[in-house]
Amino acid sequence: MMFMREIEGWSNLGETVRSKLIRSCTQQTTNRNVDFLLTLQNELLKPIQNEIFDVCSQLEKIRHTKGGKKKYHLMISSYFLDSAQTWNALRRVCASPSDVCFIIGDSAPYGIYVPVHEWLGKLAIAAGFESWSFERIRDRNIKWKNRKHNVPLCEGRLWVKG
């Protein structure tokens, strides 16, 4: 965006784009901009509501025992709500049939597993797509001895059809 002179620097990027990005890190999610319970009760999250509530509740509790007290519960709830909205927007604009591919990785903040590809697949089906599959590309969290948890993680292609 700087190259195309749409922005002048980092501060412009935040003002211009940040509010439109899928919330995918704890810096984008605070108690000021996310109502945790309201987010989880959103109708778009219905296909994963029980599962995401359980995971986010665990994350909210465990964070108080950790040094950084990261608000992963807000990040996860916001990320999946934003993703559900994205699936709905994609369904509106994609021809039928169509193939959509997301490169994604699963996650385990504080060692609590978040089945990203499964939840995104369920949200895509709820948005009106027909099917989803996951193609594992590589394992993650296996290289270094100083990792924070031992939950096996992977990256791959989430294929959505419909």
Side-chain angles (χ1 to χ4, degrees), residues 14-126:
E15 298 162 6
T16 308
V17 178
R18 184 159 293 173
S19 66
K20 297 169 184 71
L21 296 175
I22 289 179
R23 292 170 283 183
S24 61
C25 71
T26 56
Q27 292 176 332
Q28 294 171 287
T29 53
T30 67
N31 288 340
R32 290 182 307 231
N33 68 2
V34 177
D35 184 322
F36 177 55
L37 292 177
L38 195 60
T39 300
L40 288 177
Q41 292 169 354
N42 191 294
E43 191 68 25
L44 292 175
L45 292 179
K46 199 153 195 75
I48 61 169
Q49 215 149 39
N50 293 336
E51 299 164 89
I52 196 172
F53 182 81
D54 289 344
V55 166
C56 287
S57 294
Q58 289 177 56
L59 289 169
E60 202 281 325
K61 286 178 189 155
I62 199 171
R63 79 184 195 88
H64 297 289
T65 68
K66 302 295 182 180
K69 294 185 170 83
K70 296 242 182 200
K71 296 180 180 179
Y72 291 122
H73 64 296
L74 298 180
M75 179 191 71
I76 297 296
S77 60
S78 299
Y79 172 81
F80 283 99
L81 178 56
D82 291 349
S83 296
Q85 293 168 338
T86 299
W87 285 120
N88 280 285
L90 283 170
R91 181 63 286 169
R92 278 193 311 274
V93 298
C94 288
S96 204
S98 58
D99 293 335
V100 178
C101 181
F102 278 23
I103 306 297
I104 59 169
D106 50 8
S107 181
Y110 291 141
I112 310 249
Y113 183 68
V114 180
V116 175
H117 60 275
E118 180 184 327
W119 288 359
L120 289 178
K122 288 179 179 181
L123 294 174
I125 298 297

Side-chain angles (χ1 to χ4, degrees), residues 124-138:
I125 298 297
F129 288 92
E130 293 173 11
S131 65
W132 67 272
S133 61
F134 183 71
E135 178 186 353
R136 181 187 214 105
I137 296 173
R138 72 178 188 101

